[in-house]
Amino acid sequence: MNTLISRLGGAALALFTAFSLSSAHAADKLTVAHSTWVGYGPLYIAKEKGFFEEEGLDVELTVMEDVKTRMPALAAGRIDVAVTTIDTVLTFTSPNHPLVYLFALDDSAGGDGIVANKDITSVADLKGKKVAYTEGSVSQFFLSVLLKDAGLTLADVETQNMTAGDAGAAFVAGRVDAAVTWEPWLTRGKDADHGALLVDSSTTPGLITDVAVTTEKMLAERKENLQGFYRAWAKAVDWQKANEAEADAIMAKGVGGWLEDPAVFAETRAGIVFYDGGMNVKFMDPANESGIFGTIMNAKTLGEEAGLFKLEADPKSMIASGIVQ
């Protein structure tokens, strides 16, 4: 009888322990949504090389191409973290669903730009011209900032709304005067007989930057998990620097889509910079007006002037503390 009780007690203890471990494991799961972009590749290194596991995390990486699906899914708690550009976040944050920036993933360093007819030699020369870009995208934000610096607005150009690829193709075909696009269309555009590279994102560091973002609620409840998520990212970027060829193969396979060929991935990667630990410390510092705070303020001004949103939050309060620092 005592033996039976002992066995039952042992079984109950084992069941309780298994349940506890299962619960702990579930609590450490993070679902991260992203679009198909080269800058998110190190997430797959972190998964492949066990950097997430080292931080006690079970990270599910899922592709959600449409930001209009991805960001509402974050606000509704269907995913835990989303990655997107800084300006995009401002469109989706609200008093009822406040969002916070966790850390930076990558910066466009020549991968985005404007190709234009050869007689257009400055941004100011775009006035009155047919300019193709994707409305509501980072391409619009990039163009808006450049026009603002030249004393112009989007109202000063003849907007042709189309995807970045279609914009590049339209320019090569001579149907528009300029296009805001990215590779390979920047190269194809400047190689066209009538084309030239007007400007690219290497001249605007920190402007087109992808970030990891979550909700205030998620940050409050699972800050340690999010700290681990950042540490795994930083490890992955360091590993990528030391193992470029193997890293490109891992990242291309993980990100997939039009980037599934490692050679295409490597070519596209040349136009961006991954944010490592040191870069994040500097960029995410709210006191650094050349960092994320400056980009937020640029996006806030342009977004409110265009009537896209009205930011009610203090921009500095949207930068999570204790994740990067």
Side-chain angles (χ1 to χ4, degrees):
M1 184 63 147
N2 288 338
T3 302
L4 177 60
I5 292 173
S6 176
R7 287 178 179 175
L8 288 173
L13 179 60
L15 182 62
F16 175 78
T17 302
F19 176 79
S20 298
L21 290 173
S22 174
S23 298
H25 180 72
D28 291 333
K29 182 171 183 178
L30 285 178
T31 302
V32 181
H34 65 86
S35 60
T36 302
W37 177 237
V38 65
Y40 310 146
L43 293 170
Y44 288 91
I45 294 176
K47 192 171 183 70
E48 175 79 13
K49 294 299 176 180
F51 299 146
F52 288 137
E53 188 177 358
E54 288 174 7
E55 297 294 340
L57 298 175
D58 174 15
V59 176
E60 178 185 350
L61 301 173
T62 184
V63 174
M64 288 187 181
E65 297 290 5
D66 190 350
V67 71
K68 294 176 183 176
T69 300
R70 195 182 330 139
M71 299 308 288
L74 177 65
R78 294 195 296 274
I79 60 174
D80 302 313
V81 176
V83 288
T84 188
T85 55
I86 292 170
D87 56 297
T88 299
V89 176
L90 301 185
T91 305
F92 290 93
T93 192
S94 70
N96 292 333
H97 300 288
L99 302 177
V100 287
Y101 299 98
L102 296 173
F103 60 90
L105 281 75
D106 69 281
D107 189 40
S108 183
D112 296 79
I114 302 176
V115 284
N117 293 334
K118 288 180 178 178
D119 62 338
I120 298 174
T121 59
S122 70
V123 173
D125 289 341
L126 292 174
K127 185 174 182 178
K129 304 296 185 182
K130 291 182 180 179
V131 183
Y133 61 90
T134 309
E135 290 184 352
S137 74
V138 71
S139 293
Q140 177 177 322
F141 175 56
F142 180 60
L143 176 61
S144 296
V145 172
L146 295 177
L147 289 173
K148 177 186 173 186
D149 291 344
L152 302 174
T153 70
L154 289 174
D156 291 308
V157 303
E158 188 177 331
T159 295
Q160 307 290 305
N161 181 27
M162 55 187 77
T163 67
D166 288 346
F171 175 75
V172 171
R175 297 198 302 271
V176 296
D177 301 308
V180 187
T181 187
W182 48 63
E183 293 295 2
W185 290 105
L186 289 179
T187 297
R188 294 176 185 176
K190 68 183 181 182
D191 286 347
D193 290 340
H194 62 283
L197 180 66
L198 180 62
V199 63
D200 68 32
S201 54
S202 65
T203 65
T204 55
L207 186 63
I208 303 179
T209 304
D210 286 298
V211 289
V213 60
T214 192
T215 62
E216 278 190 4
K217 181 176 184 292
M218 180 71 178
L219 178 62
E221 293 177 353
R222 299 184 61 186
K223 189 170 187 176
E224 289 186 5
N225 287 158
L226 295 170
Q227 289 170 330
F229 179 60
Y230 166 68
R231 287 192 297 267
W233 166 268
K235 291 177 188 177
V237 172
D238 288 344
W239 191 90
Q240 180 273 332
K241 292 178 184 178
N243 305 273
E244 286 195 358
E246 185 181 353
D248 284 336
I250 292 171
M251 294 188 291
K253 180 181 178 181
V255 174
W258 63 278
L259 290 164
E260 66 181 355
D261 182 342
V264 173
F265 193 98
E267 181 183 8
T268 310
R269 177 175 58 79
I272 63 112
V273 174
F274 294 126
Y275 271 75
D276 61 19
M279 293 171 67
N280 257 298
V281 168
K282 182 178 180 181
F283 186 73
M284 296 299 295
D285 182 357
N288 176 17
E289 295 192 0
S290 297
I292 190 172
F293 179 70
T295 304
I296 293 172
M297 292 306 295
N298 245 329
K300 175 181 183 294
T301 299
L302 292 168
E304 290 181 343
E305 286 178 352
L308 299 176
F309 58 81
K310 173 67 175 176
L311 185 65
E312 299 183 43
D314 172 12
K316 288 190 176 180
S317 72
M318 296 179 64
I319 305 171
S321 63
I323 299 297
V324 167
Q325 287 77 13

